[in-house]
Every structure is written in C-alpha cells, then in structure tokens.
Amino acid sequence: MAQPQQRPIANRPISFLNRNGLFLLLLALLVFLGVYLPLSESPLFMFQNRTSSSSSPSFVVSDWRDYSLAQAAKFVAKNGTVIVCAVSYPFLPFLNNWLISISRQKHHEKVLVIAEDYALLYKVNEKWPGHAVLIPPALDPKAAHHFGSQGFYNLTSRRPQHLLDILELGYNVMYNDVDMVWLQDPFKYLQGGHDVYFMDDMTTIKPLNYSHGLPPSRNGVTYVCSCMIFLRCTSGAKLLLKKWVEEIRAQPWSNTEAKKPHDQPAFNRALHKTTHQVDVYLLPQSAFPSGGLYFKNKKWVNETNGKHVIVHNNYIVGYNQKLKRFQDFGLWLVDDFSHESPLEKLE
C-alpha cells in the first residue's frame, strides 16, 4: 500500500500552540530585559550597595518605608553587635561627621540610624540603603531639639526603649549621640563580661587607677553620661533599661518645671536602683572624656595626648556653637573628608 506523501519540514505550518508559546517566550524575555535588569543594576535594589558587606534581606527597596527594627538590626549587625544613634533631620550634618569618624575605624557597617522623622529616614536610605529605620510615631522635624526643650525630651525619652528592643532581638548594642567623634577604635575598651559600659560626665580629673564601678554619688546623685553606652545582651543590661524606662515615665515632661527633665537623670537613678543586680563598668576618663574636660582643659589634653578614643561635644548648648567648637578643634570632618562618609559614596 502506497504511503501518503509527506510535506518537507520547512513547509509545514506552525501550529497555533507553537506560535503562542513562541510569543509568550519572547514576551517574557522582553519583560526580563526591560524590567529586571535595570532594577538589579540599581544600587537600591534589594538593599545591595557597594558599601555594605551584609547579605541582602529578602525584601525589595520600597519596603524600607515599613522596615521593622528586627529587619534593620539583622541587616547591619556584625559579630552580634549593632551601633545605634537616634537623630532627626536637622542634625544630618552631625550624623555625617560622626559617621566619617566611625568609617575611619572600620565599624560603619554596624551602624543603624534610628530616624526620628521621615525626612531623615528617606535621606539615609537613599544614600546608604538599609541603614536607617523609623520607629513610629515620627517626631515633628520642625520642633526645637536644643537641650532642655520638649523636642529634646521627646527624642531622648524614647532612647532606652529602642535599646531594650534591640537587646531583646539578641544583639549587643552601642549607643552614641551624634555630637561625638571617634578618634580610635573603642571596642578594645569593651572587654570582659560586664553588662553595661558607660562614661563619666564629670570634669574633675580622676587618678589613672580609679575604680571602674559605679562612681560615688554627689549629693546622692551620680553624673554618668547617657550619651555613650555599650550594653551586652544580658539579663542585667535588660533590667537596667527597663528601670530606665520606668524612671523616665515617672518624670514626664512639664513645661512649668524650672529644671526640665531629660533622660540622663533617669539613667542615673536607674543605675542606683539596680546597683547590686547589674555589672557596670566605668570607662577610662582619658579615653572617653566629657566635652567639659576635653574642650576646656588644654593642659589635661596635652598630658593625655594619644589616649583619646571618643570625644563628646557636650557642655555647650546650641547647634551653631557645637559646630564652631568642632571646627576650632579640627574635629569637623564634613568639610574636607565628606568622601569618607557612607552617606556620600553612592553619589
């Protein structure tokens, strides 16, 4: 029986299914080339950028507006430690100056900026994706934040709860005010198994062999600074922070008070009330001087030259006054070294 004659393959009609399959394949390829690749090359895609060695979190760039503290801490933590500041947009130049000094010590990748308003949140994550988080409610960026103002109280009174939340996530945490400058690596001073490390805020010069326990009180009050604190993830550190939160709540803001409340007296009260339950360590004064000592005692500065680690620009009130003092002492790094800031590297 004769076999039916077959058409050459080249002359066979393409089936409807094959045409559709080819069309869908081409469409998928165009979508991939036109959408995915441009996004993947963006420094903001998946929070990847040249300045971060962290593994990328499993969320896309638009999510940082709802970035949780847990996601943020996981992204920046190195060796179980997070370096934290809490700052509002008007102090962006001071944040930048602080970051330059930390970058010089190779610890900037651990930094998490707790933005107190959306303007700062957007700016930091635009320049340095993944390194800022906002914990609601956002504060009014136009409110005064000078020492003694209600805006200052609103900002600083949230601090211990932020730190406690990070400890509860399982990380050690270092807190700094942004009117500080790192001159050396402070972590070599954070050895041992103590719960909490802090610096004295006094200007009185201590002997080199002074005790590193809780300082003796003056009129029943110590003057430990809440501007620089390192807390290990221990039950003792958590207890201190919980007591600090309680002490702040016990002294709410009142515009009629002659002496406006802020977080530092509450911190000192919490230290005293937990003194037998928390292992504390007072850092060396020569390495962690107060602004009242470093900027006002030239003789002491010369005698301790080479030992200074973190300098705090306190004992002075006012944005412009702090800025000028940093400039006068060669500690304003923004003008000449902005290229060293992680906030500038993506420009």
Side-chain angles (χ1 to χ4, degrees), residues 9 27 77 128 144 210 217 263 345:
I9 293 177
L27 180 61
W128 198 27
Y210 71 86
S217 62
D263 71 299
K345 289 182 178 179

Side-chain angles (χ1 to χ4, degrees), residues 110-170:
K110 300 183 183 76
V111 170
L112 176 61
V113 177
I114 297 180
E116 297 290 0
D117 52 59
Y118 284 101
L120 186 72
L121 175 72
Y122 295 165
K123 177 59 68 174
V124 173
N125 278 330
E126 173 193 352
K127 299 291 186 180
W128 198 27
H131 283 268
V133 65
L134 188 144
I135 303 171
L139 301 182
D140 180 2
K142 297 180 181 179
H145 291 102
H146 59 269
F147 183 83
S149 68
Q150 184 172 0
F152 180 84
Y153 172 80
N154 291 342
L155 191 156
T156 59
S157 64
R158 292 153 52 98
R159 179 187 307 169
Q161 188 62 56
H162 296 334
L163 302 182
L164 177 59
D165 290 342
I166 295 173
L167 288 187
E168 295 287 9
L169 290 169

Side-chain angles (χ1 to χ4, degrees), residues 150 153-154 157 246-257 259-262 269:
Q150 184 172 0
Y153 172 80
N154 291 342
S157 64
E246 290 177 10
E247 291 298 321
I248 287 178
R249 290 174 180 170
Q251 191 180 24
W253 171 263
S254 173
N255 196 39
T256 60
E257 293 183 20
K259 187 176 181 180
K260 303 295 190 298
H262 58 96
R269 293 195 300 271

Side-chain angles (χ1 to χ4, degrees), residues 18 42 71 75 81 111 118 164 169 174 180 216 229 240 266 287 310 344:
N18 287 341
S42 166
Q71 288 172 308
F75 181 63
T81 296
V111 170
Y118 284 101
L164 177 59
L169 290 169
M174 175 189 280
M180 306 186 102
I229 309 171
L240 173 62
I310 293 182
E344 300 298 328

Side-chain angles (χ1 to χ4, degrees), residues 34-47:
V35 176
Y36 180 84
L37 287 184
L39 282 175
S40 66
E41 293 173 359
S42 166
L44 299 183
F45 182 71
M46 297 290 286
F47 280 121

